[in-house]
Amino acid sequence: MRNTLEKQTLETSRLILRQWRESDIAPFSEMNADRKVMQYYPETLTYQESAHLVERYQQHFQEYGFGLWAVELKDQATFAGFIGLAVPQFTAYFTPCVEIGWRLAAPFWNQGYATEGAQAALDFGFKHCNLKEIVSFTVPANVASRRVMEKIGMSYIDNFDHPAIPGDDPLSRHVLYRITKEERDALKAG
C-alpha cells in the first residue's frame, strides 16, 4: 500500500499537491531564503539546506506513505510551496504524532491556498492513512497559520516549548492544535 500512497497526488479546485521535482528546488530555496516567509523559524535556509530538505521530504514519503507535498497552482503550473503531513523528529509529551504543516511563498499568501490544501491533506490523512488525530503547531505570534488551523477545524490544546529550539529563544514557545478523525467527520457532515 505504501507504494501506492507515495505516488499519490491530491487535487483541489485550484491546487495540485504532488511529489517533488528537481525543478522545485530553486523556487523552494528562494522561498526559504525570504526573511518574511521564514520570520517564525530560527533562520533562513541556503540553497544546499533547501535541497537537503527536499531529499528528506522524499524519504519521508518512502518511509510513511505520506509527507509534505509540493504545491502547484493549477492555472499557472507554478510552484507555490508545500502542504502536507509529517512525523515530527523530536520528542514532546504529544509525540509520536502526525502533524499537518504548510509553507507558501509570500506572493501566494492571503488567497486561501493554505486552507484549501490543508483540507485535502487532512482528508488524505484520515481516509487513506487511517490516522486517528492530526496536530499542528507554531509560535503564538504566527496568527496567519493559527487562523488556518482554526479554519480547518483544529482546536487549541496547549502551549509547549519546542525541544529543537533553545529555551531562551523567543521562538521556543509554541501553541499546539489538534483535530481528531471524529471531529473532522462531524465538521464535514454538519
Side-chain angles (χ1 to χ4, degrees):
M1 185 162 188
R2 279 215 173 126
N3 287 340
T4 302
L5 294 177
E6 73 189 23
K7 303 295 185 203
Q8 186 72 33
T9 296
L10 309 181
E11 288 194 37
T12 68
S13 61
R14 301 180 296 163
L15 304 174
I16 298 172
L17 282 66
R18 58 164 173 76
Q19 295 297 305
W20 291 80
R21 301 176 184 148
E22 188 75 25
S23 61
D24 296 328
I25 296 173
F28 183 54
S29 176
E30 287 176 38
M31 180 181 80
N32 292 333
D34 183 338
R35 291 190 189 284
K36 184 177 176 183
V37 171
M38 300 298 284
Q39 67 182 324
Y40 299 117
Y41 292 88
E43 57 193 12
T44 58
L45 303 178
T46 65
Y47 182 92
Q48 292 78 16
E49 290 167 329
S50 292
H52 179 69
L53 271 182
V54 169
E55 287 176 19
R56 284 185 39 208
Y57 297 163
Q58 291 168 325
Q59 289 170 353
H60 191 284
F61 274 99
Q62 295 289 330
E63 186 172 347
Y64 296 102
F66 59 81
L68 298 170
W69 288 275
V71 174
E72 180 180 298
L73 275 69
K74 276 185 175 177
D75 63 348
Q76 301 172 25
T78 302
F79 174 86
F82 69 72
I83 299 172
L85 305 169
V87 175
Q89 299 303 302
F90 61 82
T91 301
Y93 78 89
F94 56 88
T95 61
C97 64
V98 174
E99 73 164 307
I100 187 168
W102 46 83
R103 185 181 310 157
L104 299 177
F108 306 106
W109 291 1
N110 300 313
Q111 298 176 60
Y113 295 134
T115 301
E116 184 175 323
Q119 298 276 18
L122 279 181
D123 288 343
F124 183 84
F126 289 133
K127 287 180 187 173
H128 299 284
C129 302
N130 298 313
L131 300 174
K132 302 293 180 234
E133 73 172 23
I134 297 173
V135 302
S136 194
F137 44 85
T138 189
V139 297
N142 190 347
V143 175
S145 276
R146 293 180 74 175
R147 256 194 311 253
V148 172
M149 293 172 197
E150 291 165 2
K151 285 180 185 176
I152 63 175
M154 300 188 100
S155 299
Y156 166 78
I157 301 299
D158 201 1
N159 291 342
F160 72 100
D161 291 323
H162 197 298
I165 302 173
D168 60 348
D169 188 312
L171 297 176
S172 173
R173 197 70 170 157
H174 275 58
V175 290
L176 175 67
Y177 282 71
R178 180 187 72 204
I179 188 169
T180 65
K181 181 182 186 319
E182 291 77 22
E183 290 166 339
R184 178 74 176 157
D185 289 346
L187 282 172
K188 292 188 79 165

